Amino acid sequence: MKIVRYASQSGPVLGRLDGQAITPFQGVADVQALLSNVVQASGAAVPLESVRLLAPIVPQRNVFCVGWNYLKHYDESKGKREGQEVELPERPTFFSKLPTTVVGPRDSVPLHEAYTAKLDWEVELAVVIGKEGRDIAEADALGHVFGYTVANDLSARDLQRAHGAQWFKGKSLDATCPMGPVLVTADEIGDPQNLALGCEVNGARMQHGHTRNQIFSVARVIAELSQGLTLLPGDVILTGTPEGIGAARQPPVFLADGDVMECWVEGIGALRNVVRAGLRYAE
């Protein structure tokens, strides 16, 4: 099943996408409510082209993220460009983004030029947890997944260095996590380690990778994150980005006013977000 969330005069609506038509879930406005209720999509169909899509889910607590989860991305950065010099981690490197970073798949996003001169792109496969768990075994981890979507972990590289070499501030500027366009349930994806993904900026390929090249699989990430930490239905985990970030290019390339980012994951869809100077929030 493909799930979308869209704006209406009465507020956000959640629906099932079939082709180019959306069938709303009656009385359910977010994925968290859907996870706790058995609800059938039964409303009058709405044409996809007639609505403004929102992020399919906005987590109720921080977005969990994984750094350096593709070997070539680790090699291109070596930690130096983010204020650290580290060996390849033997366990996943975790950080988080605030829920206020999450915006829709077609929204214009702020350049944040007052705070950063080095805004960068990162396409990622995002995982949505559907079943609560703590100390989850790796063999059982995918059974806790409700579905998958696409995310762009926009990152202020200079702020990642400026605050004690920890990444939270540089990753958490408002409206720096476009997500969507759909949430695809786990049964339709099958193996999350068999998905191509990529990012284009102004039509030029910047990233092209494959989840089979993740250092830590989705199952391993869930298992490690859940050690002593309860994962809740509706939690979102970004599973890392492949090589091709702007900061690692020679010379480095960063986003500018008017740049168009298109981030995609095979079997899910694509984000298309325009960067705008002068914006405070997504539009």
Side-chain angles (χ1 to χ4, degrees):
M1 179 169 57
K2 293 180 173 64
I3 296 170
V4 296
R5 183 169 161 266
Y6 62 93
S8 75
Q9 291 184 343
S10 59
V13 177
L14 201 70
R16 186 190 71 221
L17 179 64
D18 298 296
Q20 297 298 303
I22 305 167
T23 304
F25 292 100
Q26 294 296 305
V28 176
D30 57 57
V31 170
Q32 287 87 347
L34 183 65
L35 290 170
S36 61
N37 295 277
V38 178
V39 181
Q40 299 296 322
S42 59
V46 177
L48 176 63
E49 64 183 14
S50 71
V51 302
R52 175 189 167 221
L53 289 180
L54 306 173
I57 183 169
V58 177
Q60 296 178 350
R61 57 181 183 173
N62 284 12
V63 179
F64 298 108
C65 305
V66 183
W68 296 327
N69 201 23
Y70 291 78
L71 183 59
K72 288 185 179 180
H73 173 53
Y74 169 80
D75 286 341
E76 74 179 354
S77 60
K78 293 291 188 185
K80 297 175 185 176
R81 300 177 189 276
E82 293 168 1
Q84 294 176 312
E85 181 72 64
V86 301
E87 298 299 324
L88 181 66
E90 295 182 359
R91 304 176 73 173
T93 299
F94 293 118
F95 61 94
S96 69
K97 294 173 76 81
L98 289 174
T100 47
T101 63
V102 177
V103 293
R106 302 290 182 267
D107 289 345
S108 293
V109 297
L111 180 60
H112 287 296
E113 67 274 18
Y115 311 109
T116 179
K118 297 181 177 181
L119 193 64
D120 203 348
W121 56 83
E122 290 191 7
V123 62
E124 310 211 10
L125 172 68
V127 175
V128 177
I129 296 296
K131 178 183 174 184
E132 181 177 321
R134 180 177 182 271
D135 298 326
I136 300 167
E138 186 173 344
D140 300 328
L142 295 184
H144 289 258
V145 175
F146 176 68
Y148 302 91
T149 190
V150 186
N152 183 357
D153 175 20
L154 288 166
S155 305
R157 300 299 181 195
D158 38 6
L159 293 185
Q160 285 182 248
R161 299 182 184 184
H163 293 271
Q166 54 77 34
W167 300 346
F168 176 75
K169 178 63 175 178
K171 295 284 191 173
S172 287
L173 296 179
D174 287 346
T176 54
C177 191
M179 197 177 293
V182 301
L183 172 58
V184 181
T185 51
D187 60 301
E188 291 202 11
I189 293 297
D191 182 5
Q193 305 310 137
N194 191 33
L195 302 171
L197 71 168
C199 174
E200 287 81 44
V201 178
N202 300 327
R205 177 188 287 187
M206 296 298 177
Q207 294 180 281
H208 190 275
H210 201 284
T211 56
R212 64 171 170 254
N213 295 323
Q214 288 182 336
I215 300 169
F216 305 105
S217 68
V218 171
R220 172 77 183 279
V221 165
I222 292 170
E224 291 261 357
L225 184 59
S226 72
Q227 290 178 358
L229 186 160
T230 302
L231 294 178
L232 301 175
D235 279 345
V236 176
I237 305 170
L238 273 54
T239 61
T241 196
E243 69 277 8
I245 61 170
R249 295 178 174 271
Q250 295 297 328
V253 177
F254 297 106
L255 292 165
D257 183 37
D259 282 350
V260 180
M261 302 174 291
E262 296 180 271
C263 294
W264 56 271
V265 176
E266 180 183 6
I268 300 176
L271 311 170
R272 186 182 189 277
N273 303 97
V274 180
V275 182
R276 296 294 187 197
L279 285 186
R280 293 189 60 193
Y281 307 104
E283 290 185 352

